[in-house]
Amino acid sequence: MKVMEVKVIFESDDIQKYQKQISDIFYDFGVTGLQIEEPLEKKNPLDYYKDESSFLMRNHAVSAYFPMNIYAKKRQETLLTVFEEKFGQDDEVVYTVDFYEHEEEDYQNSWKKYLYPEKISSQFVVKPTWREYEAEEGEKVIELDPGRAFGTGSHPTTSLCVDLMEEGIQEGETVLDVGTGSGILMIVAEKLGAGFVCGVDIDELAVEVANENLELNKVSKEKYKVLHGNLIEKIEKQSYDVVVANILADVLLLLLKDISSVVKTGGKIIFSGIIEDKLEEVICSVEMTGMRVEKVVAKGEWRALAIRA
């Protein structure tokens, strides 16, 4: 499979501001890992012979990677529209958006040198498969190979979700992960003692990746299943003790009714991926369904909710 690189090269007097805004757009599209490029502060002509690409790179850039699947063309068109709406009339920044195709193997190898084990919550450490790590007392290690274009789980929305899962999942409970992606939240649920975990995703590649990661982390096949398709079509006439969804707020709002129908009465829902500006809208929508928001946690501009059905 090929991977699409979306690279935004930009110039501005406020580099950090636009680096963050570009990154946030990519995060809104579900990317959990970015490549940030910055020009070398001092240029020595001899450096050309050491690293030609670094020597020639004069501008700041942010790159994101997406799978080349059936959504690739639509994603490309939508990204161009979003960047134009955001920066087209902004005189403080000059930018270009370029698209490149890479073989998956090349993409994997280029990322490996930048990734190291990372602690994403009080208990969980995410470890790239090619790195060594000795777990400390009380730590749970998740093995992931981010080369399949789903990142490492280091984005704040993931760590917020995991924080609430640590508090909310009890031994033996059933857990549903909506929009499972890499399957990292399914693995977290199983390691927290869930009796059975189900994941569902509309992206066929996500289903494949999640299965690979669950197997990599030695989760028993009897304890999980990963389904390809829309939530309500796949989970009809089933209900779960806990439902987790780390998706953008607008998608959460669209799925709210369906999610409320697959959680047991008195069960728990964990929402993450909510930008601060959308928080009140999500809370109001949750309460209108008759459910109760029990806790809000924050990290930077991101929010996550613990909800009681």
Side-chain angles (χ1 to χ4, degrees):
M1 171 169 291
K2 290 182 179 292
V3 173
M4 178 175 70
E5 176 187 1
V6 186
K7 185 170 186 176
V8 180
I9 300 173
F10 68 100
E11 294 181 5
S12 173
D13 291 333
D14 192 341
I15 295 299
Q16 289 189 341
K17 172 185 174 182
Y18 288 98
Q19 191 177 78
K20 180 180 184 302
Q21 290 185 7
I22 293 167
S23 298
D24 285 345
I25 289 173
F26 283 136
Y27 285 138
D28 286 346
F29 273 78
V31 165
T32 54
L34 300 175
Q35 182 175 342
I36 308 294
E37 296 180 9
E38 296 181 346
L40 298 176
E41 293 182 3
K42 295 181 180 180
K43 296 288 185 180
N44 183 326
L46 293 179
D47 290 339
Y48 177 85
Y49 298 99
K50 298 177 182 177
D51 188 346
E52 178 182 353
S53 61
S54 293
F55 182 85
L56 294 175
M57 202 276 289
R58 297 286 195 241
N59 298 312
H60 291 265
V62 181
S63 292
Y65 295 82
F66 298 92
M68 287 293 295
N69 54 24
I70 59 174
Y71 306 107
K73 184 176 180 181
K74 180 64 175 178
R75 184 188 294 118
Q76 181 173 333
E77 294 171 351
T78 305
L79 278 166
L80 286 172
T81 300
V82 170
F83 279 112
E84 178 62 24
E85 291 175 349
K86 183 74 173 178
F87 303 125
Q89 303 301 317
D90 191 338
D91 295 332
E92 296 182 10
V93 64
V94 177
Y95 76 98
T96 62
V97 184
D98 297 313
F99 299 87
Y100 305 94
E101 288 187 21
H102 302 288
E103 294 295 336
E104 186 178 29
E105 183 177 355
D106 295 336
Y107 162 79
Q108 290 178 357
N109 293 336
S110 69
W111 275 81
K112 285 185 177 181
K113 60 184 177 182
Y114 298 110
L115 297 177
Y116 291 87
E118 182 173 357
K119 192 161 188 177
I120 63 170
S121 73
S122 62
Q123 296 183 41
F124 286 93
V125 175
V126 175
K127 184 184 83 66
T129 53
W130 59 91
R131 299 291 185 188
E132 296 294 329
Y133 182 80
E134 186 172 343
E136 297 182 3
E137 185 177 354
E139 288 184 341
K140 297 178 173 67
V141 177
I142 296 175
E143 297 267 357
L144 281 187
D145 185 348
R148 298 282 277 163
F150 281 91
T152 63
S154 61
H155 191 263
T157 62
T158 305
S159 58
L160 285 172
C161 199
V162 174
D163 286 341
L164 291 177
M165 290 174 71
E166 289 178 352
E167 297 177 10
I169 294 179
Q170 305 299 318
E171 189 80 23
E173 288 186 321
T174 56
V175 178
L176 172 64
D177 179 16
V178 181
T180 193
S182 68
I184 185 172
L185 298 181
M186 295 181 66
I187 298 167
V188 167
E190 193 275 336
K191 287 183 178 291
L192 288 173
F196 184 79
V197 185
C198 179
V200 60
D201 204 293
I202 60 172
D203 190 336
E204 191 172 358
L205 175 61
V207 174
E208 183 181 337
V209 171
N211 275 307
E212 290 176 359
N213 285 326
L214 286 154
E215 184 175 350
L216 181 64
N217 285 273
K218 298 179 172 57
V219 179
S220 170
K221 291 186 181 296
E222 291 74 32
K223 294 190 67 175
Y224 75 89
K225 62 181 176 182
V226 189
L227 304 173
H228 175 227
N230 293 320
L231 169 64
I232 207 65
E233 294 174 358
K234 295 295 179 179
I235 313 296
E236 61 177 346
K237 299 180 181 179
Q238 298 179 57
S239 58
Y240 291 80
D241 296 305
V242 183
V243 179
V244 298
N246 180 20
I247 317 175
L248 295 178
D250 289 338
V251 182
L252 289 173
L253 291 170
L254 289 173
L255 293 176
L256 181 57
K257 182 179 178 181
D258 290 345
I259 289 174
S260 66
S261 71
V262 297
V263 64
K264 293 179 180 179
T265 302
K268 292 157 283 189
I269 297 174
I270 296 171
F271 280 170
S272 191
I274 304 166
I275 203 76
E276 183 180 11
D277 293 344
K278 288 280 189 178
L279 179 62
E280 289 305 317
E281 182 181 358
V282 174
I283 290 176
C284 288
S285 297
V286 167
E287 292 176 344
M288 286 178 64
T289 67
M291 298 188 294
R292 183 176 75 257
V293 176
E294 293 188 324
K295 187 173 185 179
V296 179
V297 291
K299 186 168 290 187
E301 60 188 341
W302 296 100
R303 303 291 183 268
L305 307 178
I307 302 163
R308 181 68 62 174

